[in-house]
Amino acid sequence: MTTPRPSLALSSTVLDAPDAAELGDFYRRLLGWETVQEEPGWVKLLPPGGGSGLGFQTDKAYVPPAWPASPGDQLMMLHLDFEVTDLEAAVAHAVAEGATPADFQPQHDVRVLFDPVGHPFCLFVNEEAPGEPPAISPEWVAEQTREIAEQDRLTVQEAVDPDPSAPAVPARQAEPDTPV
């Protein structure tokens, strides 16, 4: 005898960030979604017309994932995919809002970008859309990255380690220090 499955509906996908309000604002501008809930350490956005939303939660111990990852790197647990009709225009919009294109682009019809705190997300063209998606050259990606740097935006590394000359602080201690 099996128990009946309870009613479950996906409300939102939640991303951790050093500051939920800042990351929520980036995605609000990127997607044009409405902020429906905002309180200290928490923001939730919903798309127009309903559906599952995005939530953002402050986690002061947040460490951005490495992508593509190597052994020992902080792994990404998920990423967001956004279907677009114009890949070049969508990348330009995302960059203008604060995203950074990844150096490694694995497919010609998908663009991997990082949000301001390092979460990877993908923009892709629906395979059923007519015509070939435009190619985005490595030179264009480098130019966009330089323009972002010239705007004096905070980098992911600066957000995680604000003073590069300061000694590194371990992300976690195995056990608290105890007096001898």
Side-chain angles (χ1 to χ4, degrees):
M1 178 177 221
T2 62
T3 58
R5 182 173 48 87
S7 174
L8 301 171
L10 181 62
S11 169
S12 62
T13 300
V14 179
L15 299 176
D16 289 348
D19 185 313
E22 287 181 12
L23 190 58
D25 188 53
F26 165 77
Y27 280 99
R28 181 191 54 74
R29 294 187 325 268
L30 178 72
L31 302 171
W33 290 10
E34 179 182 350
T35 302
V36 295
Q37 186 179 12
E38 187 167 7
E39 51 194 64
W42 174 257
V43 173
K44 183 174 180 181
L45 306 177
L46 286 178
S52 177
L54 286 175
F56 307 93
Q57 156 180 293
T58 297
D59 180 353
K60 295 298 181 185
Y62 170 76
V63 175
W67 187 89
S70 298
D73 287 344
Q74 173 68 37
L75 300 177
M76 92 175 142
M77 299 301 290
L78 63 87
H79 72 274
L80 303 172
D81 283 347
F82 299 105
E83 182 176 335
V84 301
T85 55
D86 183 331
L87 191 57
E88 188 171 350
V91 170
H93 171 67
V95 168
E97 295 302 340
T100 304
D103 290 334
F104 176 65
Q105 296 292 331
Q107 297 166 274
H108 80 283
D109 58 348
V110 175
R111 290 295 169 264
V112 179
L113 295 102
F114 301 108
D115 69 22
V117 299
H119 294 287
F121 66 94
C122 295
L123 303 176
F124 72 97
V125 175
N126 184 340
E127 293 175 4
E128 297 173 12
E132 285 294 311
I136 297 179
S137 71
E139 294 80 16
W140 183 87
V141 170
E143 176 186 335
Q144 296 302 309
T145 303
R146 276 192 304 277
E147 286 179 13
I148 291 169
E150 289 169 5
Q151 293 173 8
D152 197 29
R153 292 191 185 201
L154 185 67
T155 66
V156 172
Q157 184 58 37
E158 290 167 336
V160 173
D161 184 16
D163 182 3
S165 64
V169 176
R172 297 177 190 220
Q173 285 185 307
E175 296 178 359
D177 292 339
T178 56
V180 181

